[in-house]
Amino acid sequence: MVSSAVVGLSRNVMAPELSVRPSCLQCALERSVGGKYCGACGNLLRPRCERKQVTVLFTDVSGFTALSEQLDPEQVSEIMHRTFDIVLEAVHEHGGTVNQFLGDGVMALFGDGPGEHHARRALGAALALQGCLETVRREVRRSYGLEFRVRVGVNTGPVVVGTIGAALRTDYTATGNTAAAALGLLQIAEPGQIVVTDRTRELAAGRYDFAEVGAMPLTESRETVVVYELTSEISEYADDEALIAV
């Protein structure tokens, strides 16, 4: 289930444009576009936002509401802490950045290098975190008799990344249809499934195996995209990486 926090984010990531205004690291005040230095303290200004090509990854716990209703808050907290630790480690090991925690999910960005590089890293992270979460799934079933699975959605394309909000409350995120489509993938993914758009699949072609899910509208613009399930990494690449690690 997509949490209320994630649903709230969907309204945010839908925004196709975000004004690019310089801000001061010391004063946290917005300055007019065109100036290089803060008028209050003289520090060099940095852009609040920038446009980039990235791969966006969202995770979401399936059945989180049922889990919360049947377990004590301390038990739920322990399960989620372990889940977040696994997701963080997988994302960081594959060159990504977790930029937001969303109640029962995570938003991560992969943006260094050409598109095919960060798309492949994001898919590698998705497979790694699902594999490691199998331990948590088995323990939750054995201890509480409940199913615990995580859905993952991945999409690649242009976004605006940077800080949003005012001086008293700022956040770092990615906005635009690319992020909105990645979030929309969670609405159609089955528990334990990794789903990606055709754009991400094309960039990672030859390295991973996919199964077509179908064409679906994923954003409020009703844009239809072809969705695929990521099933595995092609064995020759996995073997090569194992040899390099040795």
Side-chain angles (χ1 to χ4, degrees), residues 41-148:
C41 66
N43 282 318
L44 184 67
L45 300 177
R46 55 108 162 93
R48 288 179 62 85
C49 305
E50 62 177 320
R51 302 178 190 278
K52 295 183 66 176
Q53 289 280 337
V54 303
T55 296
V56 184
L57 180 151
F58 280 100
T59 70
D60 166 59
V61 174
S62 173
F64 181 74
T65 300
L67 195 74
S68 301
E69 290 174 346
Q70 298 183 54
L71 300 181
D72 292 335
E74 293 81 5
Q75 294 171 325
V76 175
S77 178
E78 175 62 24
I79 293 170
M80 294 310 301
H81 274 301
R82 291 188 60 191
T83 299
F84 287 147
D85 285 345
I86 289 171
V87 174
L88 275 167
E89 183 175 0
V91 168
H92 290 163
E93 285 186 350
H94 288 80
T97 300
V98 170
N99 66 303
Q100 288 191 351
F101 291 92
L102 309 164
D104 61 337
V106 162
M107 178 184 184
L109 302 177
F110 298 77
D112 293 333
E116 60 269 20
H117 290 171
H118 54 70
R120 291 171 180 174
R121 290 201 304 274
L123 298 185
L127 287 172
L129 69 88
Q130 289 288 33
C132 292
L133 284 172
E134 277 296 303
T135 300
V136 179
R137 184 185 69 82
R138 289 194 296 267
E139 291 183 3
V140 170
R141 175 188 283 180
R142 182 177 63 250
S143 299
Y144 309 114
L146 298 173
E147 286 298 326
F148 179 84

Side-chain angles (χ1 to χ4, degrees), residues 155-167:
N155 186 31
T156 305
V159 297
V160 175
V161 295
T163 56
I164 60 174

